[in-house]
Amino acid sequence: MLNLILFGPPGAGKGTQAQHIIEKYGLVQLSTGDMLRSQIAAKTELGLKAQQIMANGDLVSDEIVVGMIKSIVHNDKQAKGYIFDGFPRTVKQAQALDSLLAEIGEGISQLILLDVNDDELKARLLNRGKDSGRADDQDVSIIENRIKVFKDQTIPVMEHYAKFNKSAKIEGVGSLDEIFERIISVIDKL
Ligand code: AMP
């Protein structure tokens, strides 16, 4: 299996690039943000729990997101591999993911960081907020909190995989195609 973590701060372009990667490599995309938004739309108990936390730009509990990922990884035995988008966001989540994959005799092949500076991130998110309908993309202080949460709680995930020589960083600014080429060159070396 080819199991990738597409990593980066909010607004780095993970979702957009994930779409292209799944087309080229036939992987299954797992976006915890998308899964949580579906739960909110369906007004489930889990969605109601997550809603306010997401609106503030904080992280929902490790148990909730790990549980969502677990149910898919355990039930989708046909997948050629996964692309994790927006997950793991804490070292605890990374450890849980490693154990989950080990249970099926697999592991993470590579984490790829899309590196984008803060000013560019803020501009991209505010722009996306104009038509995404996402409240967390429309308020500068919420955006700044999300970037801070990334630095404080999520960057250590990259260090976790660097210990196993599995972290790569690419420049996340440029045209969509240029960035995609950079990602391909990392994947094709695996
Ligand atoms: P995203 O769509 O990845 O930007 O995620 C939107 C929001 O969902 C985040 O700001 C968090 O509140 C929540 N979220 C998504 N993925 C996770 C995760 N792996 N761990 C905790 N919270 C998450």
Side-chain angles (χ1 to χ4, degrees), residues 7-14 89 113-118 121 125 146-147 150-151 154-155:
F7 193 76
K14 302 184 293 294
R89 264 174 153 102
L113 164 70
L114 301 182
D115 192 29
V116 178
N117 67 68
D118 291 2
L121 293 173
L125 289 169
R146 288 160 69 200
I147 295 173
F150 175 77
K151 289 180 181 164
T154 307
I155 284 285

Side-chain angles (χ1 to χ4, degrees), residues 9-139:
K14 302 184 293 294
T16 310
Q17 291 295 337
Q19 285 303 317
H20 292 270
I21 300 169
I22 57 175
E23 269 170 40
K24 184 168 165 72
Y25 297 95
L27 307 178
V28 174
Q29 180 189 2
L30 294 182
S31 156
T32 41
D34 286 349
M35 292 178 199
L36 289 165
R37 281 184 288 276
S38 308
Q39 296 282 336
I40 291 174
K43 297 195 165 59
T44 63
E45 197 179 318
L46 194 158
L48 292 173
K49 258 192 209 164
Q51 193 161 23
Q52 194 53 48
I53 301 169
M54 288 171 72
N56 292 337
D58 293 322
L59 296 184
V60 306
S61 76
D62 292 333
E63 289 70 26
I64 287 184
V65 287
V66 168
M68 294 190 312
I69 293 285
K70 196 174 196 167
S71 64
I72 295 180
V73 170
H74 276 175
N75 291 316
D76 185 356
K77 306 265 190 285
Q78 306 298 318
K80 278 166 88 179
Y82 296 103
I83 176 151
F84 297 97
D85 160 8
F87 177 89
R89 264 174 153 102
T90 63
V91 171
K92 266 201 169 165
Q93 291 178 22
Q95 288 163 340
L97 176 62
D98 293 344
S99 312
L100 202 62
L101 290 172
E103 283 167 23
I104 57 166
E106 293 291 336
I108 287 299
S109 317
Q110 185 76 52
L111 172 152
I112 303 173
L113 164 70
L114 301 182
D115 192 29
V116 178
N117 67 68
D118 291 2
D119 287 343
E120 172 80 13
L121 293 173
K122 283 183 216 170
R124 285 187 191 179
L125 289 169
L126 285 170
N127 197 39
R128 184 171 82 181
K130 286 182 196 156
D131 41 35
S132 72
R134 280 181 58 169
D136 61 346
D137 283 346
Q138 291 170 18
D139 179 315

